[in-house]
Amino acid sequence: MVEESNLRSRRKAEHMEAVRTLGDVPEASWFQDVKLLPNCAPEVDVEDVSLATTLCGVKLASPIVINAMTGGTEEALVVNQRLARLARKYGLAMAVGSETAAVRDATWEHTYTVVRDEHPEGAVIANVGMSAPTETALAAVELLHADLLQVHWNVAQEMFMTEGDRAFHGALDRLAETVRQVDVPLIAKEVGQGVAAPEALRFVQAGVSAIDVGGRGGTNFMAVEAWRQGAALDDDWQDWGIPTPAALCEVVQAVGKKVDVVASGGIRSGHDIAKAVALGASAVGIAAPLLRLVSRPDGEAAVAAFIEHLHDTLRKLLVLTGSRTWGDLRKRPVVMSGGVRDWLMARGMAAFVSEVGGRDEHLHSDTHMGFRLR
């Protein structure tokens, strides 16, 4: 038991070091192929703009979610403590890393519960892996008095992890059982491979309340596992996965009217966030940039500046698209080109591309805002 706990703790420490060392390739996320339509006559004041959203019925002051990162080491305690303080300051939801370490060994509980201690009234998201039994999920939620639960799906990472799982049959049945047993909404979360429409439908059939698409473009956990083994990921695997905007469109088109959708994977700017919300995301998850910043000597100040910059950009983009709320922005056209468009067209989603690109209702009518268009 002690040896297993030590090995798990060491692995978590190595994961954090790998994320800080490897960086990511933002252009791999394809957000550059998504464009918002500017509004040169917005009739919106900055003070009228609201960044508020809801996720699974939980009201949030911002769409930014500090996504699952860590726990189970003393270094993780510091990271989670600092990030939780900032989550409280800016009204952000925060998810912890997989809590299996704490459920199996109470020694590490404090590295997770510090998030609730520092963010007592905020939205806190518990986290377990797809292989975790329902009892572990229940304990994870109870440990944090969590508002939501993530069940993360990391098959690609497990396949490249020397000590990883190799048996995945039955995971969807476990998910459905966990949904039935836990008393908080459940989010099915990918971690870099992306969620396609067929799997989104399966998650919904299992009863989840939200799906985090976890697309390609951020941390590559196959590369992380290769790094842990002292190697580099083979070139053939570098572009494995569905880029985040494409995964987001797949999920929104398939199940977006039934569950909330979270965009994550290479979200690095306010522009990425606004584009994701315009395409249908209720919230966006950011992890690696925050881990790198919070690990600096001026960590909390650096993360605070980053969040404030994101929020400032979001307010500007809402004004510049004539949107007071995210609901307004979702009525605005989104133009997709390049890889995103090619992907969606190849996947038979031409109608979705046309729908989001032609949201200007007045262009299909002879009147707009009470004026006759001549």
Side-chain angles (χ1 to χ4, degrees), residues 265-343:
I267 304 277
R268 299 296 180 257
S269 71
H271 288 268
D272 294 343
I273 295 170
K275 291 173 183 179
V277 176
L279 286 173
S282 296
V284 300
I286 303 178
L290 303 179
L291 176 61
R292 295 176 191 129
L293 289 171
V294 82
S295 300
R296 290 170 22 176
D298 62 339
E300 286 192 55
V303 174
F306 180 65
I307 293 171
E308 288 178 7
H309 177 68
L310 293 178
H311 282 168
D312 179 65
T313 300
L314 292 175
R315 291 187 182 94
K316 288 174 179 174
L317 285 170
L318 284 172
V319 171
L320 291 172
T321 56
S323 308
R324 290 177 173 79
T325 67
W326 297 120
D328 292 341
L329 182 64
R330 292 190 193 98
K331 297 175 185 177
R332 295 282 297 171
V334 180
V335 179
M336 291 179 280
S337 61
V340 175
R341 182 183 177 86
D342 290 347
W343 178 285

Side-chain angles (χ1 to χ4, degrees), residues 218-258:
T219 300
N220 185 329
F221 278 97
M222 295 181 294
V224 166
E225 296 305 332
W227 179 91
R228 289 183 62 223
Q229 299 163 38
L233 186 66
D234 291 345
D235 289 344
D236 288 344
W237 288 107
Q238 290 289 349
D239 65 349
W240 177 258
I242 311 172
T244 299
L248 176 59
C249 290
E250 290 231 6
V251 175
V252 168
Q253 189 274 337
V255 299
K257 294 181 180 179
K258 299 178 180 179

